[in-house]
Every structure is written in structure tokens, then in C-alpha cells.
Amino acid sequence: MKQILLVSNGHGEDIIGAALGGALRTLGYAVQAVPLVGQGQAYRRAGIPRLGPCRELPSGGFALQSAAALWADLRAGWFSMSQAQYRAVRKAARGALATLVVGDVYALGVGVGFGGQPLFLMQCRSSLRVGGRPYSVTERLLMRWAARVYPREPEGAVWLRARGVPQACYLGNPMLDALDEGSLDLPPPYLLLLPGSRQDAYWSLPVMLEVCRRLRDTALTPVVAWAGLPLEGLEAQGFRLEATGRSEGVTHRLSHPDGTVVHLVQRAFGAALRGSRLALSTSGTAAEQAAGHGVPLVGFPTPGPQYTLGFAQTQKRLLGDALMLTEPNPEAVVRGVRAFLSSETLLERARAAGKAAMGEPGAAARIALDLHQHLQATGPELEQSRSR
């Protein structure tokens, strides 16, 4: 069977890679993936085979944020793990028709150095909207090895083509297509809690739970979109964690003696988004998906490793009015929520800004088709080069 190799470096990138992998499977390709950061759970859930070592390191993929984070990853075996991942990419590339990289300059470097040709890049991280020069000289040089470069926004394609990357082509942001579509048997509207997929979640979720207690008068049903982290340690602020016995949808409930009930949802993010009026967020990819689907966000910074003040401010520049940033305490977050709920103008402005920043759904299918058409057009040439 025709094989495509996926290489990605991050939780959000894995989610996008899984969406692209599903679209490629629809076109008749077999797909394998090498996740360079974390365990690649999005691929596991999508039934896409994972190759190479898949481990969580202390920094959660943010080793370059500080010397301490880098040192912790090195002590945890980053070098030996990375070497094994490079070998897995090289081995898998020998039997693949193409390599599709989802990520930034590091993932692209791995794809160029160890993957096969032709190489395709979905650059889902960088954005001109946050200011500065989003693509370094090094990254643009590596992009010249790619048959296609798919930026996350139309401005990115224009910027890259003007700077020596003529194969840059904007087809949309597949992040919007990467949603778990399990059922959710809960009455909307929801107050959606997005604590994130890294250790930030254990710090921010207690703040969000206290916010839910103070918003019982709003008639919003609190729903936590849980990203698969271990559930130990979630009994915070007097809440008791109870399993429902379900493997998707509402898998757990957090109950407080004052009557507050918060529903923990897994593998049903699409249904949660469609029923949400507002979201509290300390997340990366999930926040952008929510904004793109018209859900306004109230966010606050954490001690890290991901949703630090700098990360939050960068996300604010990307999403604009779709994201309201507050101080990291329940009182400030509650004020932000009530400001949104008391103003239909603010809500509509937030919905419009989120959709403008993230584009239209359907990009995964469009990118998969473009890759497929390129392989068909260059098929005889590829066969000749492989037979030499």
C-alpha cells in the first residue's frame, strides 16, 4: 500500500497530523507517524501507528524556554531518545512515498535530515499576526527542500513567496478539523474549561473550578475538556472526582458540597465546542480551535511550562478580541466572564475575531488532496529516482 510518513513535534501538531493522516487515508494512503514530543496520543486515538520512542519529558516540549528546562530534559534522556527517533524516521522514510512534516523548524530539520523526498511541510505554529519575523532564515533555507509549504494563514504564504519560498501555498488551517467527535449527553449552553495538555492543567484547573462555584447563577453547565493527562490530583478545592463508567463523553464528574457539579469530558471535543457559550483557557491548540469555532475565551497565565505570560500574550496577538486575558485568580476570571455575558457586542466581536484568525474548516482534506495530486503528477519521476 502507498505509505506516507508523518513527523510532528508537539501535542497540537500531533492533533493536526492525525487529522491530515485521516484525510490521506480517505485517499487510499497508509500512514505512519513519528511524534518527536510526547507520547503521540492523538495518533493512538486515530489508529495511526507510532514509530520510535514516545515519551513525556519534563519540559513538555518547551526545553528552550529556560536553561533549567533544557537541563531537565537532557538529564531525562533527550539526546538518546532523539537519536532513536531520527533512526525511526530514516527507516520509515525508505518505504514511504513522501514525508509530511507538521511543526516548526526543528521538525522540518528532522524531516530534511532523515526523511524521504518529496517532503511536505504544514507549518502550523508561526504567524505574522503576532509580529516580528515568523520564519527564520534557517527555516526558509530548509523550506527549499519541500515540494509544498502550507502556512497556517494566507499572509504567511504571501510573505514566504516574496522571500524565496515560491512553493508556499495556503489551503487553510487543519487545526479546525482535528476534533474528537464523540457524543455528549449534556444540556447546553456550556462553560467550557480548557486547562491544556501539559502540567499547567494541574495548576489552572483548581482556579477554574473555583470560578465555576462563583458562576452558579449563570445557568451555564461547566464542562472540562480533558486532554488525557493522568487524573490523579484533580480532587481540588473541595471537589470530589467520580467516574461515570463511560470511555467517552462525560467520563468523570467533579462534585462540590455546595452543589456545584463540573463534568469532565474526553473524546467529545467537537460536541463540547458546539454547545459552548464561553470558555476558560490556559491551553494552546484547544484555545485556537475554540476561537475558530466561534467560542470566546477568557484566559490567564500559569507558572508554565506552556501557558506562561509570554505565551498568553502571543496568543492574544494572534486571536485578538476572541481572547480576554485576566490576572490568574478566580476574582479576575469571574469579572472577565461576566463582562462577556453582559455584552452581546463583546461576544459577537469575539466570535468574529476568532473565525477571522483561524479561517474556514476543511483544510485537512484540501491539503491531503493537494499532496495526492503532486504525487500523481510526479509519480513516474519518483519511480525512476527510487529505482536508481
Side-chain angles (χ1 to χ4, degrees):
M1 183 176 282
K2 303 174 292 183
Q3 187 81 239
I4 303 292
L5 173 63
L6 284 162
V7 178
S8 54
N9 68 322
H11 175 75
E13 287 80 355
D14 294 347
I15 291 174
I16 292 169
L20 290 167
L24 287 166
R25 281 175 159 178
T26 301
L27 295 175
Y29 293 93
V31 183
Q32 294 180 314
V34 179
L36 301 174
V37 173
Q39 300 180 41
Q41 295 290 2
Y43 294 123
R44 180 188 62 78
R45 292 193 296 269
I48 295 174
R50 295 168 293 170
L51 308 175
C54 301
R55 287 174 46 207
E56 292 286 352
L57 294 180
S59 77
F62 292 89
L64 297 182
Q65 284 195 350
S66 70
L70 177 59
W71 178 239
D73 277 10
L74 290 172
R75 290 184 62 185
W78 176 86
F79 185 79
S80 60
M81 184 185 78
S82 297
Q83 293 298 312
Q85 289 172 337
Y86 303 157
R87 290 193 294 271
V89 172
R90 178 182 285 123
K91 181 178 180 181
R94 294 193 189 109
L97 285 177
T99 300
L100 173 56
V101 173
V102 184
D104 60 9
V105 64
Y106 174 67
L108 177 57
V110 172
V112 170
F114 304 99
Q117 292 289 329
L119 179 78
F120 298 83
L121 171 66
M122 173 65 228
Q123 219 300 5
C124 54
R125 284 194 178 182
S126 296
S127 170
L128 269 75
R129 301 179 184 190
V130 303
R133 297 172 65 86
Y135 309 100
S136 67
V137 173
T138 300
E139 186 170 14
R140 297 201 303 272
L141 289 173
L142 289 172
M143 284 177 176
R144 295 180 182 179
W145 291 86
R148 284 279 198 281
V149 174
Y150 306 109
R152 60 173 291 158
E153 57 195 14
E155 305 97 308
V158 174
W159 195 93
L160 287 168
R161 286 197 296 267
R163 289 163 178 81
V165 187
Q167 67 274 39
C169 174
Y170 173 72
L171 294 176
N173 191 339
M175 192 182 292
L176 297 183
D177 307 316
L179 301 177
D180 291 323
E181 290 295 351
S183 61
L184 186 56
D185 187 19
L186 278 177
Y190 309 138
L191 175 63
L192 183 61
L193 278 54
L194 302 175
S197 61
R198 294 182 170 84
Q199 294 300 309
D200 308 61
Y202 296 110
W203 187 92
S204 62
L205 185 58
V207 177
M208 296 179 181
L209 293 177
E210 178 60 24
V211 170
C212 292
R213 290 187 61 212
R214 301 183 187 201
L215 291 172
R216 281 178 293 162
D217 62 319
T218 62
L220 297 177
T221 302
V223 170
V224 182
W226 193 246
L229 291 167
L231 293 172
E232 293 78 13
L234 288 190
E235 297 186 16
Q237 304 285 351
F239 282 81
R240 184 176 73 255
L241 180 69
E242 302 170 314
T244 65
R246 299 182 61 182
S247 60
E248 70 171 37
V250 180
T251 62
H252 296 77
R253 291 188 181 91
L254 287 154
S255 303
H256 194 274
D258 69 2
T260 304
V261 178
V262 179
H263 306 271
L264 192 147
V265 170
Q266 299 187 74
R267 292 175 285 281
F269 190 39
L273 281 184
R274 285 188 287 274
S276 292
R277 182 166 175 80
L278 196 68
L280 311 181
S281 177
T282 56
S283 65
T285 299
E288 295 178 26
Q289 290 172 312
H293 284 272
V295 180
L297 300 154
V298 178
F300 55 92
T302 77
Q306 181 181 26
Y307 209 78
T308 60
L309 179 59
F311 188 102
Q313 290 172 336
T314 297
Q315 190 179 75
K316 171 64 177 175
R317 290 193 294 273
L318 172 67
L319 298 179
D321 289 337
L323 171 63
M324 179 189 298
L325 289 180
T326 75
E327 294 295 318
N329 60 71
E331 295 81 5
V333 177
V334 167
R335 285 196 298 270
V337 171
R338 292 196 186 279
F340 266 131
L341 294 180
S342 64
S343 172
E344 192 61 34
T345 299
L346 281 181
L347 287 171
E348 284 302 322
R349 188 183 301 161
R351 294 174 187 133
K355 292 180 178 181
M358 298 302 297
E360 294 293 326
R366 292 191 292 270
I367 290 171
L369 181 60
D370 185 73
L371 188 155
H372 168 68
Q373 290 173 339
H374 180 87
L375 292 180
Q376 283 191 318
T378 58
E381 178 184 332
L382 282 172
E383 290 298 324
Q384 290 175 9
S385 64
R386 288 178 182 273
S387 64
R388 292 191 188 107

